[in-house]
Each structure stands twice: as C-alpha cells, then as structure tokens.
Amino acid sequence: MSRQVGDHLAAAGPGHPFEGVWFASAWGSRDVLDVTLACPELVAEVSVDRAVDRGVFRHPLRFKRLRLDVTADDVPRFGEGPAAAAG
C-alpha cells in the first residue's frame, strides 16, 4: 500500500495547505511527527467514522485505495458538497 502511494507522490513547495501544522503520533499525544509534505494532487478512497471532536476525526481513517481515475479538482473539499459532514 505505501509503495503504491509513494510511487505517485511529489514533494511540496512553499504554500502547501498544511505548512506550519504539526502532527501528533496519537490522539492526545505530545510527540510531534517529523513529516515531509507532498503536493496535494492525489485522491484516495478512505473508510472513516464521521465522529469529529473540535475539527479532528475521533477515530483513525483507513486507506482503501488510490483513485488514479479521479483528480483533486473532481472532489469537493471537506464540508462542501452533498455529503458534507457535520461538525
């Protein structure tokens, strides 16, 4: 799975949407992960429990598959579109 995704990633340049955001290793953890931001061009299908607490998913998202047949422009942003999640 990681190789399937990794083969399609490109490192992000300045102005990435998550620039300056830190990522924790677990819910409530103070351990900050060292990340490399990628260009937000790929679309992945995920399985998710829609429970959100203060803008953060309460349960892990699970990767299903990479959707090379769909572009990022084809997908509504979170909170937009007909199936917008509450929270």
Side-chain angles (χ1 to χ4, degrees), residues 5-73:
V5 174
D7 288 345
H8 297 279
L9 292 177
H16 187 281
F18 294 151
E19 197 170 57
V21 176
W22 62 273
F23 299 90
S25 59
W27 182 261
S29 172
R30 293 177 189 236
D31 296 334
V32 178
L33 296 175
D34 182 26
V35 299
T36 300
L37 299 176
C39 293
E41 299 170 346
L42 295 176
V43 175
E45 183 176 330
V46 296
S47 173
V48 61
D49 178 338
R50 291 177 38 158
V52 176
D53 186 12
R54 287 179 259 151
V56 177
F57 287 108
R58 291 181 61 193
H59 305 284
L61 283 71
R62 294 196 176 21
F63 175 83
K64 292 293 188 180
R65 64 185 174 136
L66 196 56
R67 294 292 307 265
L68 297 176
D69 59 323
V70 180
T71 70
D73 292 332

Side-chain angles (χ1 to χ4, degrees), residues 15-18 40 71-85:
H16 187 281
F18 294 151
T71 70
D73 292 332
D74 296 330
V75 182
R77 296 189 175 271
F78 286 110
E80 298 176 358

